[in-house]
Amino acid sequence: MKKTLMRPLCLLAMLALVLGLFACGGSGQQTTGTEKAAQQDEFAPALDTKTAASITVAGSYSNFEALEAVFDQFKEYYPNVDLSYVKLDDYNQTIATALESDEAPNVFVSLPWMRDKAEYEGLFAAAEDLSDKSLGINLDCIREGLLLKDADGSVPMVPIFTTTLGMLVNEDLFEKEGIAIPQTYDELLAACKSFKEKGYASPLAGYMNDRMGYYMTYPDIAYNVSNDPDAIAALNALKPEAGEYLRPSMERLADFFSYDYFDKKTCEEISDDYESIIFRFFEGDIPMMVAQGDIASGTGKREAMSE
């Protein structure tokens, strides 16, 4: 978020980010009806709802359906604010230049790994300190461990969403073939074996690039170390021996690829990890598709477009 913003505009932009947090927060926790009502009762727009302004948001996010939902929610509170989103090509290389232009975005995406890198000094120099009391931004709704703070305690960024990794599952195929949807690794192998025997070329598929192994192993690794303080400390310290914490998940991945359940040709034909995955899945011959969880929001609008 740029330092040069007027304070009211900064608060409006912050609201866009917080609405994004609420929009994505349901993926990891369930909220009761009472809690939802309490959250809604507690929220009130900080500024005059007749405020007029223009806000440009820059990022590399491609899930336009999810963005549209957040923008629509924002407009319910501030109907006179014009919101626009710019998706920059090669974002990591172009955002610093964009911030120096006459049409610099008001809100921009930054990533923790950009910290302490010389090429991104200008990016963070342009950022607001979101912990500045004069802004009136309440960061208490964000878990302390998720806030990235500089040495002086300033907060140049806040998390706006988390990535959920999983699979799209064709329940019709499972029902048709009388196969139970797997809940464990052994059940996954058994389901893939059954589908293979029934003539399915690729019981499991996904966008074939260098992230495929990440999609399939990271949730398992995170689950295994999340409740082990020693593992987390060793991994954060980049201790060589911490690699052993990754071994079980990597061995499981190697084991899975030793079977013929993942057709490489099918996966190489999937051109991207969003729209192409959705349309390929709608062809109806792939029981399970490895994907980022947020693409589920794009399936509804594309189902009628699928042949």
Side-chain angles (χ1 to χ4, degrees), residues 3-5 10 12 31 33 57 69-70 95 110 122 136 145 203 222 244 247 259 286 307:
K3 278 183 178 176
T4 53
L5 289 174
C10 182
L12 285 168
T31 305
V57 183
V70 174
I95 180 58
S110 55
E244 288 298 321
R247 185 181 297 278
Y259 301 97
I286 294 177
E307 297 177 0

Side-chain angles (χ1 to χ4, degrees), residues 213 217 220-221 243 245-256:
T217 59
D220 191 45
I221 293 170
Y245 291 111
L246 281 61
R247 185 181 297 278
S249 300
M250 301 303 291
E251 288 180 341
R252 188 174 293 116
L253 181 67
D255 178 68
F256 183 83

Side-chain angles (χ1 to χ4, degrees), residues 99-162:
L99 288 171
E100 295 176 355
S101 71
D102 293 335
E103 299 180 354
N106 305 112
V107 181
F108 55 92
V109 176
S110 55
L111 301 165
W113 60 262
M114 292 177 173
R115 300 296 292 143
D116 302 320
K117 292 184 181 295
E119 60 268 36
Y120 295 111
E121 288 181 356
L123 183 148
F124 287 99
E128 285 276 3
D129 173 14
L130 300 175
S131 66
D132 185 342
K133 299 299 183 182
S134 67
L135 296 179
I137 298 173
N138 180 9
L139 299 178
D140 291 343
C141 65
I142 304 173
R143 192 167 73 242
E144 180 68 20
L146 294 179
L147 284 175
L148 187 149
K149 296 183 179 180
D150 286 339
D152 60 359
S154 61
V155 179
M157 62 175 80
V158 291
I160 57 173
F161 67 92
T162 57

Side-chain angles (χ1 to χ4, degrees), residues 19 21-44 73 77:
L19 287 177
L21 267 173
F22 284 126
C24 300
S27 62
Q29 298 179 352
Q30 293 186 349
T31 305
T32 66
T34 302
E35 289 171 336
K36 287 180 179 177
Q39 289 175 353
Q40 291 171 352
D41 291 341
E42 291 170 3
F43 178 78
Q73 190 177 3
Y77 295 103

Side-chain angles (χ1 to χ4, degrees), residues 59-289:
S60 59
Y61 194 54
S62 299
N63 189 335
F64 299 112
E65 284 80 11
L67 287 166
E68 182 181 21
V70 174
F71 277 30
D72 287 345
Q73 190 177 3
F74 181 94
K75 295 286 282 187
E76 291 179 9
Y77 295 103
Y78 294 102
N80 298 320
V81 175
D82 180 30
L83 285 173
S84 60
Y85 175 74
V86 178
K87 183 178 184 295
L88 298 178
D89 293 331
D90 195 13
Y91 183 87
N92 294 343
Q93 303 300 319
T94 58
I95 180 58
T97 302
L99 288 171
E100 295 176 355
S101 71
D102 293 335
E103 299 180 354
N106 305 112
V107 181
F108 55 92
V109 176
S110 55
L111 301 165
W113 60 262
M114 292 177 173
R115 300 296 292 143
D116 302 320
K117 292 184 181 295
E119 60 268 36
Y120 295 111
E121 288 181 356
L123 183 148
F124 287 99
E128 285 276 3
D129 173 14
L130 300 175
S131 66
D132 185 342
K133 299 299 183 182
S134 67
L135 296 179
I137 298 173
N138 180 9
L139 299 178
D140 291 343
C141 65
I142 304 173
R143 192 167 73 242
E144 180 68 20
L146 294 179
L147 284 175
L148 187 149
K149 296 183 179 180
D150 286 339
D152 60 359
S154 61
V155 179
M157 62 175 80
V158 291
I160 57 173
F161 67 92
T162 57
T163 299
T164 302
L165 306 177
M167 297 181 188
L168 296 174
V169 176
N170 189 325
E171 294 182 349
D172 290 342
L173 290 184
F174 277 89
E175 183 177 355
K176 173 187 174 183
E177 303 298 350
I179 300 171
I181 296 176
Q183 305 296 320
T184 67
Y185 178 66
D186 288 339
E187 291 176 3
L188 174 65
L189 292 179
C192 287
K193 183 175 185 292
S194 297
F195 277 114
K196 194 71 177 181
E197 291 173 347
K198 293 177 182 292
Y200 292 82
S202 191
L204 185 145
Y207 177 44
M208 179 64 90
N209 71 347
D210 58 358
R211 282 175 286 177
M212 178 54 64
Y214 166 71
Y215 287 167
M216 296 185 69
T217 59
Y218 181 77
D220 191 45
I221 293 170
Y223 175 79
N224 290 336
V225 306
S226 61
N227 295 315
D228 186 342
D230 292 337
I232 295 173
L235 288 164
N236 284 337
L238 301 179
K239 293 184 177 180
E241 61 271 22
E244 288 298 321
Y245 291 111
L246 281 61
R247 185 181 297 278
S249 300
M250 301 303 291
E251 288 180 341
R252 188 174 293 116
L253 181 67
D255 178 68
F256 183 83
F257 279 109
S258 70
Y259 301 97
D260 190 24
Y261 300 153
F262 190 88
D263 184 66
K264 184 177 179 181
K265 184 177 184 297
T266 297
C267 297
E268 287 177 342
E269 293 172 350
I270 299 172
S271 59
D272 64 71
D273 62 351
Y274 190 71
E275 187 166 89
S276 181
I277 276 184
I278 295 172
F279 281 122
R280 182 63 185 87
F281 185 66
F282 280 155
E283 292 185 26
D285 62 335
I286 294 177
M288 294 168 284
M289 182 76 80

